[in-house]
Amino acid sequence: MPHDALLEEPPGATTHPENDDLRSLEAGLDRLQTDADRAPNAWRRFTTSVVPPIVFVLALIAAWQLYVVITQPRPDLAPGPLEVAAAIGGAWESGRLQLAVATSLERGVLGFLIAVVVGTPLGLLLAEVKPLRRAIGPIISGLQVLPSVAWVPAAIIWFGLTDATVYFVVLMGAVPSIVNGLISGVDQVPPQLRRVGTVLGAGPGRLATLVVLPAALPGYVAGLKQGWAFSWRSLMAAEIIAVGGTIGFGLGSMLDQSRELADLAGVLATILVILAIGILIELVVFAPLERRMLRRRGLLQGGAR
Amino acid sequence: MPHDALLEEPPGATTHPENDDLRSLEAGLDRLQTDADRAPNAWRRFTTSVVPPIVFVLALIAAWQLYVVITQPRPDLAPGPLEVAAAIGGAWESGRLQLAVATSLERGVLGFLIAVVVGTPLGLLLAEVKPLRRAIGPIISGLQVLPSVAWVPAAIIWFGLTDATVYFVVLMGAVPSIVNGLISGVDQVPPQLRRVGTVLGAGPGRLATLVVLPAALPGYVAGLKQGWAFSWRSLMAAEIIAVGGTIGFGLGSMLDQSRELADLAGVLATILVILAIGILIELVVFAPLERRMLRRRGLLQGGAR
Amino acid sequence: MSSQTADHTAIRIERLGKRFGAGPLVLDDVNLSIEAGEFVCLLGASGCGKSTLLNLIAGLDRPTAGTIDVPTQGAAVMFQESALMPWLTARQNVELALRLRGVPRAARRGGALELLDTVNLADAAEKRPHELSGGMRQRVALARALAQDRPVLLMDEPFAALDAITRDLLHEELERVWRRTGRTIVFVTHNVREAARLGQRVVLMSSRPGRVAGEWRIAETEGRRIESPEVAALSIEITTQLRKEIRRNAA
Amino acid sequence: MSSQTADHTAIRIERLGKRFGAGPLVLDDVNLSIEAGEFVCLLGASGCGKSTLLNLIAGLDRPTAGTIDVPTQGAAVMFQESALMPWLTARQNVELALRLRGVPRAARRGGALELLDTVNLADAAEKRPHELSGGMRQRVALARALAQDRPVLLMDEPFAALDAITRDLLHEELERVWRRTGRTIVFVTHNVREAARLGQRVVLMSSRPGRVAGEWRIAETEGRRIESPEVAALSIEITTQLRKEIRRNAA
Amino acid sequence: APQAAAGRAAEASAGTGPADELRLGYFANVTHAPALVGLEEGLFADALGDTKLTTQVFNAGPAAIEALSAGAIDATYIGPNPSINTFIQSAGQSAHIVAGAAIGGAALVVRDGIDSPADLEGTTLATPQLGNTQDVALRSWLASEGFATDTTGGGDVHITPTENAQTLTLFQQGGLDGAWLPEPWVSRLLADGGRGAHVLVDEADLWHVGAFPTTVLLVRAEFLAEHPETVRALLEGHVASVAWLDDHADEAPAAINAALEAETGKPLANEVISRALEHVTFSVDPHAETFETLVANGLEAGTQKDGSIDGLFDLRLLNELLEEDGTEPVSAGGLGEE
Ligand SMILES: Nc1ncnc2c1ncn2[C@@H]1O[C@H](COP(=O)(O)OP(=O)(O)OP(=O)(O)O)[C@@H](O)[C@H]1O
Ligand SMILES: Nc1ncnc2c1ncn2[C@@H]1O[C@H](COP(=O)(O)OP(=O)(O)OP(=O)(O)O)[C@@H](O)[C@H]1O
Ligand SMILES: [Mg+2]
Ligand SMILES: [Mg+2]
């Protein structure tokens, strides 16, 4: 039966009154059942979700400054916001801040990318090959429980104070997250979608590429996001603990240095930078990625958050 | 209208044939629509989910031992499983292992409990008071992104090398998780349940205690579980970095000590102990708690996992 | 809520209007009065404001214009999803309603079991919602609504998610309960045949904004079945009107 | 799957039996033959094995005993949930079916739009599933099933989750498509009236194990509406039989 | 035994010629003055000729050992205990001591009110690092005084290995009662510690000759086997450096301080560095005869595994040089080649 024959209307069918009736009825119902798109009000979103935290942080800083001005505490135990700002400025001027941020970011991003390259095929393999998964899955989940900071001493013994140590720790932190994210993403693919794929005539290969992988994307992205968080955490741990040797100067090293100089303003400044980078990466890289994907799938919850 | 009057059957109603008919029809349908409970097959579960990882680990250990026997690598760079076992045994005999485990567990548990006590009211407050949440929520989420290891240097400056440092870091690690878990738990309470509570006549107080809190339990428990994971991570980081002073001897200190003595077998032994404790706490404390709660709510997925 | 209404009128709605925030008018100039013990079906296409109207009657929301008079004791409500507390057993769910009504602890268990027996669920009292089928869950929800002991029962598409066989049975069950307890029932539905099967009166609502677009009364409701010819005849009439309302929105 | 069947028989099922693992027998000695172009409704209570039977026909599962003959081209299937790919638009969902059928890239877009127009959804081609109402989603799923261009269309309670008004419309839509394309349709449902409304033949299945428990043929199907008296009469007859089957399980 | 094999390899094969690069580790510390001066005065560069010299600075022994084990450096100045540790842990395969560098310069500094060992009961004392030379010395001395200690900070006297800079702060704040430290920290604690800081025990008094090793020169075993010429050149520089320190006693403080300032950003106070140099002697003799005692002490203190240190020393190259200079050869004490 050729395709076109199936769709061919009997002559005059489109003008058949009963059919027209049905069409107008369906159109009316469709109109009633779909809400007009409400344009998200950017200004409102800004005032309700961006302004309050900023105001709160500013108030916090003001209170802190006030406290410092009034009680005049020992500056080495309670530096004021101005001193912390000065510490950031100083580090910037001397170029140490840029160097540290560049080094840490490079390591974090590179380590994360390696983790993605390692974790993705591993995750796919575990998700699709049942016996492997039974055997290795629990071990990977277990590794996720292990604080990656615990790997630092072992890595130092193996690789000395070199960048290999840092990358090893980052990998041990990020890979289990990514693998588990991908596995749970594949698990959450509704079995119905696989069956539809089969019914539509997809073989295993096209089923995987056209159905399973796109369907598992939300879990995978969530895993990537968490993997990044773990990369960043592990990196900081490694940098703080493993200082010296041929290890470059990252944010963790900067933190440790400030601590050795008993420079609390410098410590707090570095913490703020680390926090800012973490939030920034999340806002700039993962949040839009996730939001776009969820919006396309209609999984985004109402903007109450 | 008194309650009993409503339920009073008109005399003879129970023997009314039509009603009997309805009863038998309903009973038949109920029977058809509910599956007989299938007893979970403990033996099968054991063979499919416990045996494979154990076999895999044993195979891994055997391969490792074989490698060591065949290639005879430098024992300080690649100790064999026997040496690692001996290291655990040695630490046990000298009592260092017990001391370290007891110290770390005590700190971890105590820190976690403090975090629960701090995080729970904070989470409830943020979940229920919208303006507060708008202002503080993003900050708490941001703190969750900050590696808690970054707090170690600051804590050392504030509290010196004392236990307060350790507890501070643990709190900074665990509290945001618990708060966010509780908030998302409350967010996920279906609005329908709140409305039912209102319709049934519950005021705000009883609505919170009888409806919202029990409904938010799954998110809360998930938050607690994650909070524990962060407590444990942060604790290890703090113990590894902050050694000396009046800080007691925990697993992290043991790890650091082994590293200083270039004793890789000791390092690996300690990593194994840390991993074992992490998995054990999860299996013994959180997994049953979570499983019981999810099973009671019918949220547990089929045993395929 | 509002004042006790005159002798035989359970619910009186006058010139009711409702809009959400700055959105369009959802309900406009709705007038309706429902007698005590009456079984009214509210019929309308999706989004026409049926749930909004029901929530206003239940006191879950406030009208923008007009007034609603309901009995001082208020109304019990049943939703499309049974909305049982998933962590409580069937009995405990009913007991919760009794507890919130103020029934002393000692009397609750017996009362709950009695109510569950009313809906033929005595055997399933100790099961949790997820162990029950959809029809059983809605029967628990019905028992819970009965536990509230209010003269008015509001039902928002309570059987829409059930399979047809179960739905037919629940129609009979509901009718039996209604005849025995004499409640005033306002029943919201999409289903023309369901409305014609259950109601003493069927009120058709138009869409955007929601208004009363038609009303039908059924004289003799005893012994009706959904396949009965009277139900079919009424259904054809209402359907024609309903389709006209829907077509109005096509343009 | 299996060999091409004789001239006019599209599907022939003989002595079919099915059990899952070591569980009880789900289907037992099912015999059924369906002619090309026939519209058969498979009716039965929940859990009686309707979906199992349909999956066997679709080749998604293998029988334990007996044989099933279906056309070599296989069958298209529609499920209760539309099961559209949530990351694709309506058009892309239909195009996916065309692509997996082997239609060249250039022809896909036009084909998909044509098929969407068949179900009166040309305007919604660029919308994603979550932007569509349930009825619209099922129409996209229907278009997708048509895109497969298979002589047999298997439908597993495709309208069960829809509201009554939409369901009535989709009955008319489906009937129109059936008449125009001449497909063989096997339609699974709980709903006695739906079966009586749509089928040329209604097959009633018993529960535990599933067997054919009764069969009705409708001579004249043109111009039927769900409220028609013939539909009502047939419904009463089938319902009585169905209730007998259900009651059997009460003991 | 493997170490014997390595030794033989060095002897027989004469390696693969001079290395292109020598990576040298040291601490920015007074007891590492031969390294500081050798670099500052260009003595290593002169001796190494074409071989490029790169350096790495460490804060503590373990890090240097880790770098050595990971092949990130080829030789390092380090204390004897970490050297013993890596040798035993690696079953003699990791590294060999090729020369001594410094002697003496460690002491137990305590607060006011502790005037005899008996007063130490219940106090908390710091050492630079678990299992390092001072840590082991403190533990074995306390044991000889009848105090029990353990590696977890328990016992009659609590020993808490703490970073030197932290030790100074904690001592000032009252968190520590004393510390067994190397120079210049002994002098710094005496100068800046306050709280009546004074020396209770000078480690020099504990050894019969007053000579005990503080710093030695350790070379990676593989490097030694492959590039004996380069190690010989390094030793030339080392010997010259020690000689320079002997000959320029008046210039030494300034030279060392300049190197320290370059490394850490802060020079030592004059009185600190001169007092420190008074207590440290620089010598190429590793005093191998004391190592068996060091091992015994480490074992007793629980900071070390049991094992043989036979073959730890490879002093052949050093003795060749000394012979050329016409000086007395040094002894390996029966623990390796001399
Ligand atoms: N909280 C709300 N805020 C804004 N608009 C709302 C709100 N609730 C309902 N609406 C709008 O009011 C209209 C009527 O909604 P309502 O839920 O009462 O319809 P309905 O007749 O119950 O529909 P359905 O049959 O689908 O349940 C819809 O257009 C809906 O978008
Ligand atoms: N994969 C499976 N493994 C084990 N038992 C199954 C499986 N699929 C179905 N069953 C069992 O087979 C019986 C028939 O199931 P089936 O889904 O075919 O019923 P159905 O008639 O489609 O029911 P419904 O109307 O609820 O969709 C049920 O008792 C079910 O528990
Ligand atoms: Mg509604
Ligand atoms: Mg089914």
Side-chain angles (χ1 to χ4, degrees):
Chain A
M1 241 182 271
H3 160 233
D4 287 359
L6 282 177
L7 299 175
E8 212 167 67
E9 301 265 347
T14 27
T15 55
H16 193 284
E18 172 118 8
N19 193 8
D20 258 12
D21 239 37
L22 191 59
R23 290 220 147 201
S24 72
L25 202 55
E26 270 181 359
L29 204 56
D30 290 351
R31 196 71 45 88
L32 282 178
Q33 291 186 348
T34 45
D35 271 338
D37 279 338
R38 285 179 212 143
N41 187 330
W43 171 248
R44 209 185 130 72
R45 245 192 92 196
F46 177 77
T47 56
T48 59
S49 71
V50 179
V51 171
I54 290 180
V55 168
F56 177 74
V57 167
L58 291 180
L60 218 62
I61 293 177
W64 176 14
Q65 180 65 46
L66 208 71
Y67 162 79
V68 169
V69 167
I70 290 177
T71 67
Q72 298 277 358
R74 267 176 58 182
D76 60 333
L77 292 186
L82 292 181
E83 282 160 279
V84 173
I88 295 184
W92 176 271
E93 260 164 43
S94 70
R96 293 167 69 234
L97 182 60
Q98 295 93 310
L99 176 67
V101 169
T103 311
S104 287
L105 261 187
E106 185 203 317
R107 283 175 185 162
V109 171
L110 195 62
F112 173 65
L113 291 181
I114 301 176
V116 171
V117 170
V118 173
T120 305
L122 193 59
L124 269 183
L125 201 73
L126 290 191
E128 292 293 309
V129 186
K130 273 278 149 60
L132 262 188
R133 166 140 172 217
R134 287 220 190 89
I136 308 183
I139 317 278
I140 302 258
S141 299
L143 282 182
Q144 217 178 351
V145 172
L146 183 70
S148 55
V149 71
W151 287 111
V152 178
I156 292 180
I157 293 182
W158 278 320
F159 306 110
L161 291 173
T162 65
D163 279 351
T165 292
V166 174
Y167 286 118
F168 177 78
V169 175
V170 168
L171 282 190
M172 293 312 283
V175 169
S177 275
I178 294 175
V179 169
N180 276 332
L182 191 51
I183 290 181
S184 84
V186 172
D187 275 356
Q188 279 163 22
V189 173
Q192 203 72 322
L193 290 188
R194 284 178 191 260
R195 297 170 74 211
V196 166
T198 313
V199 164
L200 292 180
R206 294 211 284 181
L207 194 65
T209 53
L210 293 178
V211 179
V212 176
L213 272 188
L217 206 60
Y220 182 54
V221 169
L224 288 185
K225 193 169 138 191
Q226 206 188 336
W228 163 257
F230 276 96
S231 294
W232 190 239
R233 271 170 221 290
S234 312
L235 178 67
M236 288 302 121
E239 284 186 356
I240 291 177
I241 299 175
V243 277
T246 60
I247 290 187
F249 183 78
L251 282 167
S253 336
M254 189 161 144
L255 202 57
D256 197 61
Q257 234 179 43
S258 303
R259 177 201 132 199
E260 283 185 355
L261 303 174
D263 171 14
L264 188 56
V267 167
L268 293 180
T270 315
I271 290 180
L272 285 183
V273 172
I274 294 174
L275 180 61
I277 290 181
I279 294 179
L280 211 72
I281 294 267
E282 201 161 327
L283 286 186
V284 172
V285 180
F286 290 101
L289 192 73
E290 203 168 13
R291 193 159 41 227
R292 226 185 100 210
M293 184 189 59
L294 293 182
R295 178 169 302 139
R296 282 180 64 154
R297 288 160 196 243
L299 295 172
L300 207 62
Q301 289 184 326
R305 278 270 190 141
Chain B
M1 239 184 274
H3 159 234
D4 288 1
L6 281 177
L7 298 175
E8 212 167 67
E9 301 265 348
T14 28
T15 55
H16 193 284
E18 172 117 6
N19 193 5
D20 258 13
D21 239 37
L22 190 59
R23 291 222 146 200
S24 71
L25 203 54
E26 269 181 0
L29 204 55
D30 290 352
R31 195 71 46 89
L32 282 178
Q33 290 187 348
T34 45
D35 270 339
D37 280 338
R38 286 180 212 143
N41 187 331
W43 171 247
R44 208 185 133 73
R45 245 192 90 197
F46 177 77
T47 55
T48 59
S49 72
V50 179
V51 171
I54 290 181
V55 168
F56 177 74
V57 167
L58 290 180
L60 219 62
I61 292 178
W64 177 15
Q65 179 65 47
L66 208 70
Y67 164 78
V68 168
V69 167
I70 290 176
T71 68
Q72 297 276 0
R74 263 174 61 178
D76 60 334
L77 293 186
L82 292 181
E83 282 160 278
V84 173
I88 295 185
W92 176 271
E93 257 164 44
S94 69
R96 294 167 73 234
L97 181 62
Q98 294 94 310
L99 177 67
V101 169
T103 311
S104 285
L105 263 186
E106 186 202 317
R107 285 174 182 162
V109 171
L110 195 62
F112 173 65
L113 291 181
I114 300 175
V116 170
V117 170
V118 173
T120 305
L122 192 60
L124 269 183
L125 201 71
L126 291 190
E128 293 295 309
V129 185
K130 273 277 150 61
L132 262 188
R133 165 140 174 216
R134 288 221 191 88
I136 308 184
I139 317 278
I140 302 258
S141 298
L143 283 183
Q144 216 178 350
V145 173
L146 182 71
S148 55
V149 71
W151 288 111
V152 178
I156 291 180
I157 294 181
W158 277 320
F159 306 111
L161 291 172
T162 64
D163 280 351
T165 292
V166 175
Y167 285 117
F168 176 78
V169 175
V170 168
L171 282 189
M172 293 314 281
V175 169
S177 275
I178 295 175
V179 169
N180 276 333
L182 192 51
I183 290 180
S184 84
V186 171
D187 275 357
Q188 280 164 20
V189 173
Q192 202 73 321
L193 290 188
R194 284 177 192 261
R195 298 169 74 212
V196 166
T198 313
V199 164
L200 292 181
R206 293 211 284 181
L207 194 65
T209 54
L210 293 178
V211 178
V212 175
L213 272 188
L217 207 60
Y220 182 53
V221 169
L224 288 185
K225 193 168 138 189
Q226 205 188 337
W228 163 257
F230 276 94
S231 294
W232 190 240
R233 270 171 222 289
S234 311
L235 178 66
M236 288 303 120
E239 284 187 354
I240 290 177
I241 299 175
V243 278
T246 61
I247 289 188
F249 182 79
L251 281 167
S253 335
M254 188 159 142
L255 202 57
D256 195 61
Q257 265 193 8
S258 302
R259 179 205 140 192
E260 289 186 348
L261 301 177
D263 175 12
L264 188 57
V267 168
L268 293 180
T270 315
I271 289 181
L272 285 183
V273 172
I274 293 173
L275 180 62
I277 290 180
I279 294 180
L280 210 72
I281 295 267
E282 195 154 335
L283 285 187
V284 172
V285 181
F286 290 101
L289 192 73
E290 203 167 14
R291 195 162 35 229
R292 227 186 99 210
M293 185 189 58
L294 293 182
R295 178 169 300 141
R296 281 180 64 155
R297 287 161 197 243
L299 294 173
L300 207 62
Q301 288 183 325
R305 277 268 192 142
Chain C
M1 239 161 276
S2 36
S3 61
Q4 175 79 48
T5 49
D7 258 0
H8 292 293
T9 313
I11 301 169
R12 173 171 294 144
I13 298 167
E14 272 168 3
R15 311 189 60 75
L16 185 71
K18 173 77 190 171
R19 75 166 81 233
F20 292 97
L25 212 51
V26 171
L27 295 177
D28 185 27
D29 192 24
V30 175
N31 294 285
L32 194 65
S33 84
I34 297 170
E35 275 172 51
E38 201 177 6
F39 196 134
V40 174
C41 287
L42 220 55
L43 185 71
S46 197
C48 75
K50 304 181 296 295
S51 299
T52 306
L53 179 56
L54 215 73
N55 287 342
L56 290 171
I57 300 176
L60 286 168
D61 207 342
R62 315 202 143 272
T64 318
T67 57
I68 305 180
D69 292 341
V70 293
T72 37
Q73 299 100 311
V77 188
M78 246 182 95
F79 299 100
Q80 174 171 344
E81 313 84 48
S82 56
L84 300 177
M85 309 295 160
W87 59 94
L88 299 178
T89 62
R91 174 176 57 75
Q92 288 166 332
N93 264 290
V94 178
E95 279 179 22
L96 180 66
L98 295 173
R99 174 173 177 190
L100 290 170
R101 193 183 92 185
V103 173
R105 178 185 288 272
R108 281 181 218 153
R109 192 191 182 95
L113 289 175
E114 200 178 331
L115 283 160
L116 284 173
D117 189 53
T118 311
V119 294
N120 192 16
L121 274 178
D123 292 345
E126 296 310 319
K127 293 201 170 165
R128 289 182 199 284
H130 67 97
E131 299 170 306
L132 302 174
S133 72
M136 292 162 92
R137 281 203 285 271
Q138 283 299 19
R139 272 145 64 202
V140 177
L142 180 59
R144 182 175 65 182
L146 294 177
Q148 286 192 263
D149 196 20
R150 307 247 169 102
V152 172
L153 175 55
L154 306 174
M155 309 180 83
D156 192 355
E157 305 181 32
F159 307 143
L162 302 180
D163 66 86
I165 299 171
T166 309
R167 191 160 54 225
D168 286 354
L169 273 182
L170 282 181
H171 289 161
E172 292 172 39
E173 186 75 59
L174 178 62
E175 191 177 7
R176 193 174 61 83
V177 167
W178 171 60
R179 292 201 187 279
R180 233 179 60 207
T181 61
R183 308 265 158 133
T184 310
I185 295 184
V186 181
F187 187 105
V188 160
T189 180
H190 286 115
N191 192 328
V192 179
R193 283 173 301 287
E194 184 170 58
R197 155 78 184 84
L198 285 172
Q200 290 179 300
R201 182 146 66 111
V202 178
V203 175
L204 178 67
M205 287 181 68
S206 65
S207 301
R208 302 193 177 170
R211 287 212 181 92
V212 175
E215 245 192 78
W216 291 263
R217 280 176 188 277
I218 297 104
E220 185 47 69
T221 58
E222 198 89 40
R224 235 180 337 175
R225 288 270 300 270
I226 201 158
E227 299 92 351
S228 314
E230 324 85 84
V231 171
L234 183 59
S235 297
I236 291 177
E237 204 182 318
I238 301 175
T239 302
T240 313
Q241 182 73 23
L242 178 61
R243 292 195 162 190
K244 208 181 288 168
E245 288 294 331
I246 291 173
R247 247 182 226 116
R248 264 206 313 116
N249 288 281
Chain D
M1 239 160 276
S2 34
S3 60
Q4 175 78 43
T5 51
D7 257 1
H8 291 293
T9 314
I11 301 171
R12 173 170 296 143
I13 297 168
E14 272 169 5
R15 310 189 61 77
L16 184 72
K18 173 77 191 171
R19 73 167 83 234
F20 291 96
L25 213 52
V26 171
L27 295 178
D28 186 26
D29 193 24
V30 174
N31 294 286
L32 194 64
S33 83
I34 297 171
E35 275 171 50
E38 199 177 9
F39 196 134
V40 174
C41 287
L42 220 55
L43 184 71
S46 196
C48 75
K50 304 181 295 296
S51 300
T52 306
L53 180 55
L54 215 72
N55 287 342
L56 290 171
I57 300 175
L60 286 169
D61 208 342
R62 317 201 142 271
T64 317
T67 57
I68 305 180
D69 291 341
V70 293
T72 36
Q73 300 100 310
V77 188
M78 247 183 95
F79 300 100
Q80 173 170 344
E81 313 83 49
S82 57
L84 300 177
M85 308 298 160
W87 59 95
L88 301 177
T89 62
R91 174 177 57 75
Q92 288 167 331
N93 264 289
V94 178
E95 279 179 21
L96 179 66
L98 295 173
R99 173 171 177 191
L100 290 171
R101 194 182 90 183
V103 172
R105 179 183 289 269
R108 281 181 217 153
R109 192 191 182 93
L113 288 175
E114 200 179 330
L115 283 159
L116 284 173
D117 189 53
T118 311
V119 295
N120 193 15
L121 273 178
D123 292 345
E126 297 310 318
K127 293 201 170 166
R128 290 180 199 284
H130 68 97
E131 298 170 306
L132 302 174
S133 72
M136 292 161 91
R137 281 202 287 270
Q138 283 299 18
R139 271 144 64 201
V140 177
L142 180 58
R144 183 175 63 182
L146 294 177
Q148 287 192 263
D149 195 20
R150 306 249 169 101
V152 172
L153 176 54
L154 306 175
M155 309 181 85
D156 193 356
E157 305 181 33
F159 308 143
L162 303 179
D163 66 85
I165 298 170
T166 309
R167 193 160 53 224
D168 286 355
L169 274 182
L170 281 180
H171 289 160
E172 293 172 40
E173 187 75 59
L174 177 63
E175 191 176 8
R176 193 175 61 83
V177 167
W178 173 60
R179 292 199 187 281
R180 232 179 61 208
T181 61
R183 308 265 158 132
T184 310
I185 295 185
V186 181
F187 187 103
V188 160
T189 180
H190 285 117
N191 193 329
V192 179
R193 282 173 302 285
E194 185 170 56
R197 156 78 184 83
L198 285 172
Q200 290 179 300
R201 182 145 67 110
V202 178
V203 176
L204 179 66
M205 286 180 69
S206 65
S207 302
R208 301 194 179 170
R211 289 212 179 92
V212 174
E215 245 191 78
W216 291 262
R217 278 175 189 279
I218 295 105
E220 185 46 69
T221 58
E222 197 91 39
R224 235 178 338 174
R225 288 270 302 266
I226 201 158
E227 299 92 352
S228 315
E230 323 86 84
V231 170
L234 183 60
S235 296
I236 291 178
E237 203 182 317
I238 301 176
T239 303
T240 313
Q241 182 72 24
L242 177 60
R243 292 197 164 190
K244 210 181 288 169
E245 288 294 331
I246 291 173
R247 244 180 229 117
R248 265 205 314 115
N249 287 282
Chain E
Q3 63 269 31
R8 247 178 277 119
E11 183 180 21
S13 77
T16 57
D20 296 333
E21 185 185 17
L22 171 70
R23 296 164 300 174
L24 178 66
Y26 64 95
F27 300 4
N29 223 335
V30 171
T31 52
H32 289 240
L36 300 175
V37 164
L39 291 168
E40 186 82 0
E41 303 292 323
L43 302 175
F44 291 124
D46 290 350
L48 283 166
D50 286 343
T51 302
K52 189 172 149 235
L53 177 66
T54 52
T55 58
Q56 256 188 56
V57 183
F58 296 94
N59 295 319
I65 291 296
E66 285 148 7
L68 202 71
S69 287
I73 55 172
D74 304 312
T76 186
Y77 285 86
I78 196 163
N81 278 84
S83 311
I84 293 170
N85 213 356
T86 180
F87 189 81
I88 291 179
Q89 292 279 7
S90 67
Q93 299 172 45
S94 61
H96 299 285
I97 292 175
V98 296
I103 294 170
L108 174 60
V109 181
V110 292
R111 64 166 162 80
D112 220 3
I114 300 176
D115 299 311
S116 73
D119 296 336
L120 286 172
E121 174 95 48
T123 56
T124 303
L125 303 179
T127 61
Q129 190 118 36
L130 183 77
N132 94 328
T133 311
Q134 289 78 37
D135 186 64
V136 174
L138 173 61
R139 287 173 200 276
S140 58
W141 178 74
L142 283 174
S144 70
E145 295 291 330
F147 293 113
T149 62
D150 64 34
T151 54
T152 61
D156 304 327
V157 177
H158 312 298
I159 299 181
T160 158
T162 305
E163 217 182 302
N164 293 334
Q166 285 285 333
T167 297
L168 179 55
T169 317
L170 284 169
F171 185 82
Q172 287 165 340
Q173 292 170 352
L176 289 173
D177 299 300
W180 188 292
L181 298 174
E183 288 297 353
W185 293 97
V186 172
S187 303
R188 280 202 69 186
L189 207 54
L190 291 173
D192 306 332
R195 299 178 71 218
H198 60 280
V199 172
L200 183 67
V201 184
D202 190 329
E203 196 176 320
D205 304 339
L206 300 180
W207 300 80
H208 57 283
V209 282
F212 60 98
T214 305
T215 309
V216 297
L217 183 54
L218 189 70
V219 177
R220 194 150 58 83
E222 284 160 22
F223 190 82
L224 181 57
E226 283 168 18
H227 308 291
E229 303 89 337
T230 312
V231 175
R232 191 187 144 97
L234 170 68
L235 280 169
E236 261 175 55
H238 174 61
V239 171
S241 193
V242 170
W244 188 94
L245 281 165
D246 261 355
D247 299 345
H248 305 75
D250 42 341
E251 288 170 46
I256 293 170
N257 230 351
L260 288 179
E261 184 171 8
E263 272 315 323
T264 63
K266 278 188 274 192
L268 292 170
N270 277 333
E271 77 263 24
V272 170
I273 191 154
S274 40
R275 187 198 171 280
L277 284 176
E278 277 167 29
H279 288 79
V280 186
T281 316
F282 301 103
S283 149
V284 295
D285 185 352
H287 292 272
E289 69 281 1
T290 61
F291 274 65
E292 290 287 14
T293 320
L294 286 175
V295 171
N297 289 349
L299 263 178
E300 193 186 349
T303 60
Q304 197 177 283
K305 272 197 203 165
D306 197 3
S308 160
I309 54 166
D310 189 21
L312 173 60
F313 293 92
D314 188 341
L315 304 175
R316 286 171 301 171
L317 293 167
L318 176 66
N319 281 337
E320 269 175 47
L321 284 174
L322 293 179
E323 215 169 313
E324 283 170 22
D325 286 358
T327 4
E328 275 287 289
V330 295
S331 155
L335 297 173
E337 319 276 346
E338 41 182 59

